Amino acid sequence: MKTLSQTDPAILELIGKETKRQEEGIELIASENYASKAVMEALGSSLTNKYSEGYVGKRYYGGNQVIDEVESLAIERCKKLFNCEHVNVQPLSGSPANAAVYFATLKPGDKVLGLQLDHGGHLSHGHPVNFSGLLYNFTQYQVDKETGRINMEKVREIALKEKPKMILAGFSAYSRNLEWKKFKEIADEVGAITFADIAHIAGLIAGKAIESPIPYFDIVSSTTHKTLRGPRGAIIMCKEKFAKDIDKSVFPGMQGGPHDHATAARAVAFHEALQPEFQTYAKNVIENAQAMAAELMAAGLKIISDGTDNHLMVVDVTSKGISGKEAERVLDLVGISTSRSTIPFDPRKPMDPSGIRLGTPAITTRGFDAEDSRAVARAITQAIENHSDNKKLESIRESILALCKKRPLYS
Ligand SMILES: *Cc1c(COP(=O)(O)O)cnc(C)c1O
């Protein structure tokens, strides 16, 4: 970054500090990952200079011959990766993608069934402060109190009673596989559109480690920067029947020009995910999460639903006499990044909830194996149990640094 060092040393210094933080800390935020150098090079390319409102072959600006080829490649690779009929690769991020899906299929006030936020859903799935909850009439399903799992019989009961226009399946904090086929059967019974939001698990689906909703669902949205390990951005995949409405909704409905540099970086990420190594990566992400969950449970921590089928877990830390916010702070001190999280039926408030959410996509990218993941779990338990012992916390910080040195980023 020679030029940046001359033009803007202040920003260069901050980038350096953040890079160091990422290298010397353990990233367990379930929605984060480390994009490859190739993805970042595409992001930092001349494509950022271009305007290309419209779609391949139908642009509202000249000079888009190359961009058309870039977007076509991204589309072709995405279709191959997910085996979908149609894809729009232009949504700027996950929430705008979901907005485009709603605009394409619903009228304000229409009823949608989605997973409640504090039970693992996402803001854009009908939370009252979000545009989705303000514009549409969301009814929410929950997880069962005893099992921590979504009970499909209850989802069916709510669907039969409420007759939603759309049924939404997807989550940001749920550690079990969704029963795509059952969602589809329920939707067919009530004549609802099926919409899956796979923002968190797209990489695990692309890596063939968990089942895909694409054979069953009408519309599937995803971010490209979580387990899929690409640039920040999103995609909307759908059956051919919805293709025109989805495209019209993204542009000109919601957005102006697509971010062509990010489209190119998506294409690079799809190419990477099509390689056999990515299947190993997806499998390892889940193995690491299961190793971490088992070790945490052995140490007496409660994991919602008692384990995980995917890359994440929600841990109730209150049995150790600490809140989620305090656990997040103490873990930050020892160099472990996590995010506080509500647990289902949380007696505490969202700003200081009972849990933390942990995920293994980022550590698996830097080569952590199951044994490393168990070591991280032990460090978490020790830090939480010794949260007011600064000496002990310092020694845990040292062990975390050693682990990071053993598994360098971009080695
Ligand atoms: C992360 C996430 C999104 C939103 O993505 P942004 O890019 O942050 O807007 C949407 N849906 C789900 C389920 C997510 O986990």
Side-chain angles (χ1 to χ4, degrees):
M1 298 200 205
K2 247 203 189 120
T3 321
L4 188 59
S5 77
Q6 283 155 14
T7 312
D8 196 337
I11 283 292
L12 182 73
E13 193 193 330
L14 291 173
I15 292 173
K17 275 189 187 162
E18 173 59 16
T19 305
K20 186 165 155 32
R21 189 195 68 83
Q22 292 184 14
E23 279 167 354
E24 296 183 351
I26 289 188
E27 190 51 74
L28 294 183
I29 294 178
S31 50
E32 293 188 15
N33 211 330
Y34 305 110
S36 70
K37 291 243 162 178
V39 164
M40 291 203 271
E41 281 173 15
L43 272 179
S45 69
S46 62
L47 274 61
T48 197
N49 299 331
K50 193 68 196 102
Y51 242 108
S52 46
E53 281 181 358
Y55 289 103
V56 175
K58 293 165 286 189
R59 304 284 183 185
Y60 291 82
Y61 291 77
N64 273 303
Q65 296 80 359
V66 178
I67 298 301
D68 275 1
E69 287 190 49
V70 169
E71 192 167 325
S72 297
L73 254 185
I75 291 169
E76 187 188 303
R77 289 173 181 174
C78 187
K79 281 185 172 173
K80 194 165 165 205
L81 186 62
F82 288 103
N83 208 5
C84 58
E85 289 179 19
H86 178 80
V87 62
N88 186 306
V89 296
Q90 296 189 1
L92 301 177
S93 213
S95 298
N98 289 352
V101 171
Y102 301 142
F103 281 141
T105 52
L106 305 171
K107 291 198 174 58
D110 275 352
K111 193 169 273 180
V112 186
L113 193 55
L115 179 62
Q116 193 169 305
L117 179 75
D118 56 350
H119 285 237
H122 186 259
L123 275 174
S124 63
H125 297 182
H127 193 272
V129 301
N130 184 264
F131 78 90
S132 53
L134 293 168
L135 276 180
Y136 305 103
N137 180 10
F138 269 82
T139 305
Q140 318 232 250
Y141 52 93
Q142 304 184 326
V143 301
D144 273 355
K145 201 163 188 172
E146 312 78 63
T147 61
R149 293 175 187 243
I150 296 167
N151 175 337
M152 293 308 289
E153 266 316 301
K154 283 201 188 139
V155 173
R156 179 167 177 270
E157 270 169 37
I158 301 173
L160 289 175
K161 181 165 155 264
E162 301 283 344
K163 301 247 179 312
K165 175 123 189 257
M166 170 184 276
I167 295 183
L168 168 49
F171 55 79
S172 303
Y174 182 69
S175 62
R176 295 301 177 178
N177 287 328
L178 295 180
E179 298 179 70
W180 305 119
K181 192 155 171 274
K182 282 206 182 138
F183 272 108
K184 170 66 176 159
E185 285 165 6
I186 293 166
D188 283 347
E189 232 182 307
V190 300
I193 296 168
T194 43
F195 171 29
D197 179 349
I198 58 168
H200 259 266
I201 49 175
L204 306 179
I205 290 168
K208 299 190 166 45
I210 63 176
E211 197 196 11
S212 169
I214 285 164
Y216 310 109
F217 274 56
D218 296 317
I219 303 170
V220 178
S221 74
S222 180
T223 56
T224 50
H225 48 270
K226 298 182 183 175
T227 48
L228 198 51
R229 211 162 65 182
R232 303 201 84 88
I235 48 177
I236 304 171
M237 299 175 277
C238 64
K239 303 276 188 229
E240 201 53 55
K241 182 176 130 189
F242 293 92
K244 265 209 177 103
D245 287 340
I246 290 289
D247 284 351
K248 246 174 50 192
S249 176
V250 172
F251 174 86
M254 287 279 308
Q255 297 180 182
H259 293 183
D260 299 315
H261 57 309
T263 306
R266 282 179 186 71
V268 175
F270 300 148
H271 174 71
E272 290 174 350
L274 279 163
Q275 306 311 307
E277 302 87 87
F278 198 81
Q279 293 184 19
T280 310
Y281 167 69
K283 192 170 94 358
N284 289 347
V285 166
I286 298 176
E287 256 180 44
N288 286 346
Q290 290 174 340
M292 191 177 285
E295 193 78 12
L296 290 170
M297 288 190 291
L301 281 158
K302 164 77 184 163
I303 296 200
I304 306 308
S305 86
D306 302 313
T308 181
D309 297 328
N310 58 30
H311 62 300
L312 71 79
M313 68 208 76
V314 177
V315 188
D316 180 350
V317 292
T318 53
S319 67
K320 301 281 179 192
I322 189 171
S323 73
K325 182 180 167 189
E326 179 61 7
E328 180 194 285
R329 190 190 68 83
V330 169
L331 291 171
D332 240 345
L333 280 180
V334 300
I336 299 176
S337 288
T338 64
S339 44
R340 75 190 75 167
S341 175
T342 51
I343 59 170
F345 310 98
D346 203 326
R348 303 179 60 91
K349 295 212 168 64
M351 267 319 282
D352 190 12
S354 297
I356 50 173
R357 187 188 62 169
L358 309 175
T360 51
I363 58 168
T364 307
T365 294
R366 70 190 288 176
F368 279 45
D369 59 18
E371 189 41 52
D372 297 327
S373 302
R374 282 189 282 271
V376 174
R378 286 192 291 274
I380 290 172
T381 316
Q382 283 171 8
I384 287 175
E385 287 175 348
N386 297 284
H387 59 271
S388 32
D389 182 343
N390 285 337
K391 262 232 154 69
K392 185 81 193 166
L393 292 179
E394 256 168 53
S395 88
I396 299 169
R397 174 70 190 129
E398 288 306 313
S399 71
I400 294 297
L401 265 178
L403 198 49
C404 291
K405 287 229 167 73
K406 186 177 102 179
R407 304 281 186 211
L409 251 184
Y410 305 115
S411 56

